Amino acid sequence: MLSEVEKNGIRSLLERLTREDLISLTDTVTNRAVTVETCKDAIEAIISFTMNVKVLLRRKKVRREHVFQYLAENQVFVPSTADKQQLIKKVMELWEIKEKELKNGGVGGDCDYGDPSVSSTSQDHRVEPASSTTSPGHSPKSSPALCGDLDKKDNDDYGQKYAEQWTPWFYDLLRQCGTNMIHDPMQPHGMSDWGDHHFWADSVLKIEVTARNQTTEENYSGALNVSRRLYSLVVRESLYLNPNLDRNGIKGRLEQHSGMVLVTASGTVNRHSQFVGIFSQAFGLLRDPSVNNNYRIKFTNLQLRGTDYMPPYQT
């Protein structure tokens, strides 16, 4: 018999299927013993006739992207190259941990979701969510507007001056995630306004870490995944990115045709009170007319060079 955690997990996964696929999957699982009309009835029938969750998850109608999305929404991040079998393994681990949390009265201990077998060059993290919702009376902070008059025809000057204002705003915002130590990340408290609303829906993040003569690479896509991964650098891995705020550390340029502002920032990396390396981070910023034409992050590439944050810091 399936546990309640498994039943709830299966419901969440199957809700991603189309009605046609759900009906077909119901016929397969029940051997046409029952007839269903609605998606809800199909899901309940599938759960009732399922004896082995792994067998169900391996069905063709349950596609790899369904499992990948389910893991991402539950703050379990895996490399984009992971195959379906590896994703199913992560689902089983997630449900096992949820079972333990229920037995402990809903209080879970520190959990390591990393699995080196998934990828030899990519890290797999459980990341606390960075929410786009805000608590009552707390307004999201938009990207800074450029102060003063400036002729946008001078692309280099506009891009540089905007980069010099945007860069400290961004890293202060990120740093607040660690200093505030948000207890419930889905309900931000205090001054923190970190969240996926600062990123375009199709934004991408690339992290490259070089240390001890070894380089690893992580890739994330989607506003929620990107914001959560950057959030975890501060909260889970205790990294403090301290940009050099003069013109040697910040470079900016405005693309003439697209209007994208290209920003590059560099500086030092600390963990707690210790210097552990240097970083360089590039951003592509585009205006979004749906949010008062404010800039949002379209892409960002982060390079870390050092010795003490590879492999990732474990709590």
Side-chain angles (χ1 to χ4, degrees), residues 2-275:
L2 302 183
S3 69
E4 286 303 312
V5 168
E6 290 172 328
K7 290 178 181 178
N8 291 333
I10 291 173
R11 287 190 185 97
S12 180
L13 268 165
L14 295 183
E15 286 173 353
R16 302 160 202 280
L17 276 65
T18 64
R19 181 181 179 276
E20 181 181 3
D21 284 345
L22 279 173
I23 299 298
S24 175
L25 184 59
T26 302
D27 290 342
T28 301
V29 173
T30 68
N31 199 23
R32 299 182 182 276
V34 298
T35 301
V36 296
E37 296 294 334
T38 67
C39 293
K40 181 179 180 180
D41 289 343
I43 291 172
E44 294 307 316
I46 292 168
I47 291 174
S48 298
F49 279 79
T50 295
M51 303 299 295
N52 188 314
V53 292
K54 287 186 178 180
V55 173
L56 174 63
L57 296 180
R58 292 190 186 113
R59 299 283 187 186
K60 289 184 179 180
K61 295 297 183 182
V62 182
R63 297 185 177 86
R64 177 189 173 279
E65 56 265 30
H66 299 146
V67 185
F68 188 90
Q69 291 169 2
Y70 172 79
L71 288 172
E73 290 180 6
N74 282 271
Q75 299 89 57
V76 181
F77 293 89
V78 294
S80 58
T81 55
D83 59 30
K84 185 180 176 182
Q85 187 57 41
Q86 292 168 331
L87 298 180
I88 292 174
K89 179 182 177 182
K90 282 297 176 186
V91 170
M92 303 308 296
E93 291 175 0
L94 172 65
W95 290 351
E96 181 180 351
I97 289 172
K98 287 189 175 184
E99 293 279 8
K100 291 179 180 178
E101 290 178 351
L102 285 177
K103 291 179 181 178
N104 292 333
V107 179
D110 291 335
C111 304
D112 179 10
Y113 282 68
D115 184 357
S117 65
V118 173
S119 174
S120 61
T121 59
S122 298
Q123 300 297 331
D124 175 16
H125 300 276
R126 169 88 182 257
V127 183
E128 287 87 347
S131 174
S132 62
T133 61
T134 57
S135 57
H138 180 66
S139 302
K141 298 175 184 175
S142 61
S143 56
L146 189 60
C147 300
D149 297 327
L150 182 65
D151 187 357
K152 290 186 180 181
K153 294 179 180 179
D154 190 342
N155 294 343
D156 290 338
D157 197 21
Y158 178 87
Q160 181 63 34
K161 290 192 175 182
Y162 187 80
E164 290 172 7
Q165 292 191 25
W166 185 88
T167 298
W169 169 85
F170 173 83
Y171 288 102
D172 283 345
L173 192 65
L174 180 59
R175 187 160 50 242
Q176 287 169 9
C177 297
T179 57
N180 286 322
M181 294 303 294
I182 303 172
H183 297 289
D184 180 2
M186 296 306 291
Q187 295 295 329
H189 301 285
M191 296 296 293
S192 180
D193 183 53
W194 183 261
D196 55 313
H197 51 281
H198 295 300
F199 300 81
W200 283 85
D202 60 349
S203 59
V204 293
L205 164 66
K206 176 181 177 181
I207 300 178
E208 183 180 282
V209 182
T210 300
R212 300 174 188 148
N213 297 319
Q214 184 178 359
T215 299
T216 60
E217 182 178 305
E218 300 174 34
N219 292 278
Y220 300 89
S221 61
L224 194 59
N225 291 342
V226 171
S227 65
R228 282 172 170 171
R229 183 62 187 99
L230 291 172
Y231 176 93
S232 74
L233 284 175
V234 176
V235 175
R236 291 281 296 190
E237 300 180 43
S238 301
L239 294 184
Y240 178 97
L241 303 182
N242 185 31
N244 178 5
L245 296 181
D246 65 26
R247 288 211 167 199
N248 293 322
I250 301 174
K251 300 294 182 184
R253 182 166 59 88
L254 176 66
E255 288 284 354
Q256 181 177 1
H257 299 292
S258 66
M260 177 178 286
V261 177
L262 302 174
V263 177
T264 302
S266 58
T268 59
V269 184
N270 295 279
R271 171 171 285 136
H272 306 303
S273 60
Q274 295 183 338
F275 168 81

